[in-house]
Amino acid sequence: MSAPRISSEAVAAGRPELSVVIPVFNEEQTLDRLVERLTRVLDSIGEPWEVLFVNDGSLDRSAAMLRAFHERDARLKSIVLSRNFGHQVAISCGLDFARGHGVIVMDGDLQDPPEVLPDLVRTWREGWDVVYAVRHRRKENVFKRAAYKTFYWLLRRVSYLDIPLDSGDFSLIDRRVVDLLKSMPERNRFVRGLRTWVGLRQTGFEYARAARFAGESKYSFTKLLRLAFDGLVSYSYVPLRVVSNIGLLVSLTALAYMTYLLLARLLGDRTIQGWTSTVVIVLFLGGIQLLSLGIIGEYIGRIFDEVKQRPHYVVAESFGIAPDEKGS
């Protein structure tokens, strides 16, 4: 494959070859070590680079540390959001402001090892538009590994997209794809799904996902469940089809039971007893109706979010980046 295209406009503007986007939420215990390893690896690549930390409403010393990093090295830039908007929105914010021809997305907890970046860059230079990292081994508890595996299996089965198994947000994305992602207006962001939807030339690169360097995971079970639901609802119509199929099944069952009752009355001339069965049926149908309304309501709620057209995030301040100057 041919090498990636570098525009003369980018060269003239002094645009860095590589941008690294890192969402940050309460990572004060990790940031020093992350910056040390990241700068060493990026310098070894030998290309102009920048790092964009997106401080997603951290309540610890993360914001002050990011400011100090920029004062020490102007290539370490940061964007401070006005509150916690969520991991996927923080990534989208970083993509908006990234100026590099190749944009790397990674987490700030050192579970995505910086030492993998040269391999991603090397693969990208072979001509791929997206190089996504695939976890072939996780250093996490059995419950989490099982939950992730179940989610990716289910997502692949029900989604109309072929989202690669065990591929997270850790990836290197060509400027061409970044610009396409920036043009997508949806409010409920699932970046790896959007990345897959774009298509073009994509390939995976296997790596061993490390354990957290320090602290606790900021993705609680509730947040992980919400992210999984975002992926399932945003890229699948199966929940709606399940509702339709359940409705059809219940209707056919009710019709069959009604036919049985009618025949029993006509042929046996007896009254059918069964207050308990009546109550059970009513409660069952009521539960099905509420479940169906909940699924339909989730889709309607997303439509409501989209039509409001609110911005994805609000920038409170930035270091090394003008808030009104997004990468292009």
Side-chain angles (χ1 to χ4, degrees):
M1 292 186 178
S2 60
R5 301 164 300 283
I6 304 176
S7 68
S8 58
E9 292 82 357
V11 174
R15 174 182 296 165
E17 180 69 2
L18 297 173
S19 294
V20 182
V21 172
I22 304 177
V24 173
F25 180 63
N26 295 339
E27 294 289 359
E28 63 177 357
Q29 295 176 285
T30 306
L31 287 175
D32 280 325
R33 182 61 175 157
L34 171 63
V35 168
E36 176 189 343
R37 289 171 57 181
L38 188 59
T39 53
R40 182 174 66 246
V41 169
L42 290 173
D43 283 339
S44 71
I45 295 175
E47 298 284 356
W49 56 266
E50 66 175 0
V51 176
L52 279 73
F53 294 100
V54 182
N55 182 17
D56 189 25
S58 295
L59 302 175
D60 60 2
R61 294 174 46 251
S62 295
M65 295 176 70
L66 294 177
R67 183 171 188 171
F69 293 151
H70 175 66
E71 291 172 352
R72 190 175 70 203
D73 187 338
R75 297 173 298 179
L76 301 174
K77 308 173 183 181
S78 62
I79 303 165
V80 181
L81 301 185
S82 62
R83 63 171 177 84
N84 180 257
F85 285 89
H87 183 259
Q88 299 296 295
V89 172
I91 291 175
S92 297
C93 172
L95 293 177
D96 284 344
F97 287 92
R99 300 184 301 126
H101 184 250
V103 180
I104 298 165
V105 177
M106 61 185 295
D107 287 338
D109 54 11
L110 285 175
Q111 287 192 278
D112 298 336
E115 290 73 20
V116 175
L117 300 190
D119 296 310
L120 298 183
V121 172
R122 191 178 307 113
T123 306
W124 169 60
R125 292 203 177 283
E126 294 174 0
W128 299 96
D129 293 298
V130 174
V131 184
Y132 52 84
V134 179
R135 307 149 180 154
H136 70 83
R137 188 169 68 252
R138 290 176 178 269
K139 294 183 179 179
E140 293 166 330
N141 61 61
V142 175
F143 175 75
K144 264 198 170 181
R145 291 201 303 269
Y148 280 120
K149 189 173 290 293
T150 301
F151 162 64
Y152 281 107
W153 175 84
L154 181 61
L155 182 61
R156 195 165 192 179
R157 291 295 298 269
V158 305
S159 175
Y160 55 77
L161 293 177
D162 186 16
I163 298 178
L165 293 174
D166 274 330
S167 65
D169 298 312
F170 188 23
S171 58
L172 194 160
I173 309 172
D174 188 79
R175 166 55 52 185
R176 178 185 181 189
V177 177
V178 171
D179 290 339
L180 289 170
L181 294 176
K182 288 166 59 178
S183 70
M184 298 180 186
E186 46 256 73
R187 268 61 188 160
N188 295 285
R189 312 291 288 181
F190 186 63
V191 174
R192 69 200 73 168
L194 296 174
R195 187 185 68 202
T196 302
W197 183 90
V198 168
L200 300 177
R201 296 165 296 180
Q202 304 198 15
T203 189
F205 182 87
E206 287 194 347
Y207 79 109
R209 185 169 174 81
R212 281 187 63 86
F213 178 76
E216 298 293 329
S217 174
K218 306 308 182 296
Y219 255 123
S220 64
F221 179 75
T222 302
K223 288 183 177 179
L224 285 172
L225 192 62
R226 184 65 192 177
L227 179 64
F229 201 68
D230 282 342
L232 293 174
V233 173
S234 297
Y235 299 96
S236 174
Y237 303 114
V238 169
L240 290 175
R241 290 170 183 160
V242 167
V243 169
S244 300
N245 291 335
I246 289 176
L248 179 62
L249 178 62
V250 170
S251 298
L252 292 175
T253 303
L255 180 62
Y257 189 56
M258 182 178 66
T259 303
Y260 162 73
L261 293 176
L262 182 61
L263 291 175
R265 177 64 176 170
L266 292 176
L267 300 178
D269 191 27
R270 60 188 178 88
T271 303
I272 302 299
Q273 302 296 322
W275 289 103
T276 302
S277 61
T278 302
V279 172
V280 170
I281 291 171
V282 169
L283 291 177
F284 173 74
L285 291 177
I288 292 295
Q289 289 170 345
L290 290 175
L291 175 63
S292 302
L293 287 174
I295 293 175
I296 295 170
E298 184 67 30
Y299 282 91
I300 294 175
R302 289 164 185 270
I303 295 171
F304 183 55
D305 281 342
E306 297 297 334
V307 299
K308 286 186 289 190
Q309 291 294 300
R310 289 176 182 169
H312 294 149
Y313 53 83
V314 176
V315 176
E317 58 180 331
S318 60
F319 306 108
I321 303 169
D324 58 345
E325 293 182 3
K326 295 187 177 182
S328 60

